[in-house]
Amino acid sequence: MNNDLDTGTPQPGADPLGAALADAEGGPLGKMVDPGEPVFTDVTPTGSMIVREPVSAGYIWLMILATFGGFAALVAPIGLSLALRVQQLAPDNVEYLGYVVGAGAAVAAISAPLTGMWSDRTRTRFGRRRPFSLVGALVGLAGLAFIAWAPSIPLVIVGWMIAQLGWGTALNSLILSQADRLPEEQRGKVAGLSGVVQMIASVAGVGVASAFIGSDYLVFLVPGAVGLFFFVLWTLLVKEPSSVDLPAPAKLSIGKVLANMVFNPRKHPDFAWNWLGRLFFNFGVTFATTFTTVFFAARLSDSGKVADVGSLIVILSLAGVVATAGGAMLGGFLSDKLRRRRIFVLLAGLAFTAGAIIMAVGGTNAGLLIGGSVITSIGLGVFSAVDQAIVLDVLPERDTDAGRFVGINVYSTSIAQALAPIVAVPLLLIGAEGADRNYALLFIVASACTLIGGNIIMIFVRTAK
C-alpha cells in the first residue's frame, strides 16, 4: 500500500482538498484503506491482473485543479494572447497566427510519445510522473515569457513551440498518473470531471488574460502562473512511490525510439480500433467547430461578417460550454455507475450527428441552429469523458510503456486537427457560387464521420464494456 493521498478516504462532510493539505503537513490523513474497503481488480488488455485501490477525493481534487491550471495556461494564448501578439508584430498579416498555432500543434504531437517513453523509463525517488508535471509546467511558463518578449513572428513561433512542449508534457503526466493508479470503476468519473474543468478553464483562462490586455507580459504570464501554482500543489501533495527500485528500463536507440512512435494494431486490436474511432470522431468535430463561427455569420447576417453576429457568438459559446460540460459529467458518471462505456460513445456519435444535420438543414432559423449546436456540444462532452476512460481501459503495456501509448493516442486528435481544415476547403467549394460556401455539405460530412467513429468503437472494441 502506498503512503500517499490516494490511500485516504475523506470523512463525510469533510473538505477533501483541506484533508489533502492537512496530510501534506503531517496532519490527520483520515481513515486508511483496509481489507474491508473496495479494492478493484483491473484486467489489462494483455490479460494480466493488477489490483488497484480506489483513489481518494483528495487525489481527484488535486488532479482536477492541476488540469484546470494547465488548460487555463494553454488555452488563453490560443483564445486571445497569441492573436494580440501577432497583430502587434504583423498587423497586415494576421494569417501568420495559423503558422504559429500549427507549429505548436506539430510539436505537441511529436513530443507526446517521446516524453511519454522518457517518463516510463524515469527512475527517481519522486516517481516517474511527478518530475514531468513540475518541469513541464516550468518549461511551459518559460515559453509564454519568451513569446511576450519575442520581437518577431519567427521567435513567437519558437516560444509557442516551447510552451506547447511544456504544458503538453505536464498535462500528459496527469493522464499517465491516472493510467498508473485509477481502477476501472473510477475512470469515467474522473474523465467526466476533467472534461468539465477543461471547458471552465478555457473560458476562465481567456477571461483572466483579457483583464491584462495592454501588458505584453501579464497577458501571457498571469494565466501561466495560475497553471504553475496548481502543478506545484499537485507535485507537492500527491506523493508518488519511488521508481528507483523498479526494473531497469531497456535502453533506447534512435531506431527503437522511432519504432516506438507507432504500434502493431494486430498486437493491440482494441487500442487500435479505439484509436481509429477517435480519429473519425475528431475529424467530424474539427470539420464542424473550425467553421462554426463563419457558418453562423453566413446564415444569420446579411453581410456575412463575423463582427455582425458577435453577441450571438458569445451566447453560442456559453451555451456550448454548459452543454459540453453537462455531457461530460453525465456521460462520465453514468458510464461508471452502469459499468458500460461503448454504448455512451455510440450515443455521443448519434447526438453529434443529429445536431450537425440540424445545423446543415436549419436554414436561417437562429433558434434551430443554436439548438443543433447545443446538441453537438452535448455529444462532444459525452464522448470526451467516456472515450478517455476507454483509452485507459484498453491502454496496452500499462505498467511499462503507458507513456508511449498515451502519446500515440494523441495522434488521433492532432492528425484530425491538422488535416480536417485542409480537407474542408474543397468540400466548402462544391456547388458554391460567388461568396457562398457549401456549409450544409460540410456539416453532413462531419455528422457522418462522428457516426462512423462511434460505431467503430461500439462494434470493434471488445475488452471495454
Side-chain angles (χ1 to χ4, degrees):
M1 184 183 301
N2 299 327
N3 183 21
D4 63 6
L5 286 179
D6 70 354
T7 60
T9 301
Q11 300 296 334
D15 174 13
L17 182 55
L21 295 172
D23 173 47
E25 298 169 356
L29 179 63
K31 183 167 70 70
M32 302 296 289
V33 172
D34 61 34
E37 291 185 338
V39 175
F40 302 117
T41 300
D42 185 19
V43 180
T44 70
T46 59
S48 60
M49 195 168 290
I50 301 171
V51 175
R52 285 183 169 85
E53 295 169 351
V55 299
S56 73
Y59 174 96
I60 294 173
W61 274 104
L62 289 165
M63 168 77 69
I64 295 306
L65 288 174
T67 301
F68 173 87
F71 273 92
L74 189 61
V75 173
I78 296 174
L80 178 66
S81 312
L82 281 174
L84 291 171
R85 195 76 181 114
V86 169
Q87 198 164 48
Q88 284 178 347
L89 297 173
D92 296 327
N93 298 99
V94 292
E95 68 274 10
Y96 289 168
L97 180 62
Y99 300 138
V100 176
V101 175
V107 168
I110 295 170
S111 66
L114 296 177
T115 57
M117 285 184 271
W118 188 3
S119 176
D120 289 336
R121 287 158 176 78
T122 296
R123 299 293 181 263
T124 73
R125 64 188 184 90
F126 302 106
R128 295 185 294 173
R129 314 306 183 192
R130 284 198 300 165
F132 287 84
S133 299
L134 182 58
V135 173
L138 289 169
V139 171
L141 185 63
L144 296 179
F146 191 91
I147 297 169
W149 165 84
S152 66
I153 294 297
L155 290 178
V156 168
I157 292 175
V158 172
W160 184 236
M161 291 167 69
I162 294 171
Q164 279 274 22
L165 171 64
W167 292 116
T169 298
L171 288 166
N172 281 341
S173 75
L174 300 181
I175 299 175
L176 291 175
S177 179
Q178 294 176 51
D180 292 341
R181 304 172 72 169
L182 285 183
E184 181 181 351
E185 285 75 4
Q186 289 184 306
R187 291 172 190 161
K189 176 175 71 175
V190 173
L193 289 170
S194 296
V196 170
V197 83
Q198 288 175 30
M199 298 299 106
I200 296 172
S202 300
V203 176
V206 173
V208 169
S210 66
F212 296 95
I213 292 177
S215 172
D216 292 345
Y217 281 92
L218 293 181
V219 76
F220 284 99
L221 294 183
V222 172
V226 171
L228 178 61
F229 173 75
F230 286 124
F231 268 99
V232 168
L233 279 185
W234 166 261
T235 305
L236 292 177
L237 300 181
V238 179
K239 296 185 171 55
E240 184 182 354
S242 169
S243 59
V244 171
D245 295 329
L246 291 178
K251 292 184 178 180
L252 289 178
S253 63
I254 294 178
K256 182 69 171 176
V257 168
L258 294 176
N260 280 352
M261 295 183 73
V262 295
F263 72 102
N264 184 348
R266 291 185 178 180
K267 187 177 179 182
H268 307 294
D270 281 340
F271 181 81
W273 282 118
N274 192 69
W275 188 95
L276 184 61
R278 283 175 63 90
L279 181 67
F280 269 97
F281 199 98
N282 285 322
F283 253 95
V285 169
T286 307
F287 276 140
T289 56
T290 300
F291 295 94
T292 294
T293 300
V294 291
F295 163 74
F296 270 82
R299 286 286 178 90
L300 303 179
S301 169
D302 292 335
S303 67
K305 295 181 178 179
V306 173
D308 293 338
V309 292
S311 58
L312 180 62
I313 297 303
V314 171
I315 295 172
L316 182 68
S317 299
L318 291 174
V321 167
V322 172
T324 305
M329 285 283 288
L330 184 65
F333 277 81
L334 283 179
S335 71
D336 276 351
K337 184 74 173 178
L338 301 177
R339 298 190 177 187
R340 293 290 184 271
R341 308 261 197 237
R342 292 180 297 160
I343 186 62
F344 285 96
V345 170
L346 178 60
L347 292 174
L350 290 170
F352 199 100
T353 297
I357 290 175
I358 290 173
M359 294 174 71
V361 302
T364 58
N365 186 315
L368 192 62
L369 295 181
I370 292 174
S373 179
V374 168
I375 293 172
T376 61
S377 296
I378 293 172
L380 175 59
V382 173
F383 181 86
S384 65
V386 178
D387 196 68
Q388 181 61 51
I390 291 179
V391 169
L392 297 179
D393 289 344
V394 302
L395 197 66
E397 302 174 24
R398 185 189 312 276
D399 294 320
T400 56
D401 274 338
R404 169 196 170 195
F405 283 97
V406 166
I408 290 173
N409 187 64
V410 172
Y411 295 161
S412 62
T413 300
S414 58
I415 290 174
Q417 291 176 343
L419 295 183
I422 298 172
V423 176
V425 173
L427 293 176
L428 290 170
L429 295 176
I430 293 176
E433 296 181 0
D436 292 335
R437 294 294 180 265
N438 198 341
Y439 293 107
L441 176 60
L442 182 67
F443 279 93
I444 289 172
V445 173
S447 69
C449 287
T450 54
L451 188 59
I452 291 170
N455 274 282
I456 287 174
I457 294 170
M458 179 68 191
I459 295 170
F460 295 108
V461 179
R462 299 297 187 182
T463 55
K465 298 182 180 70

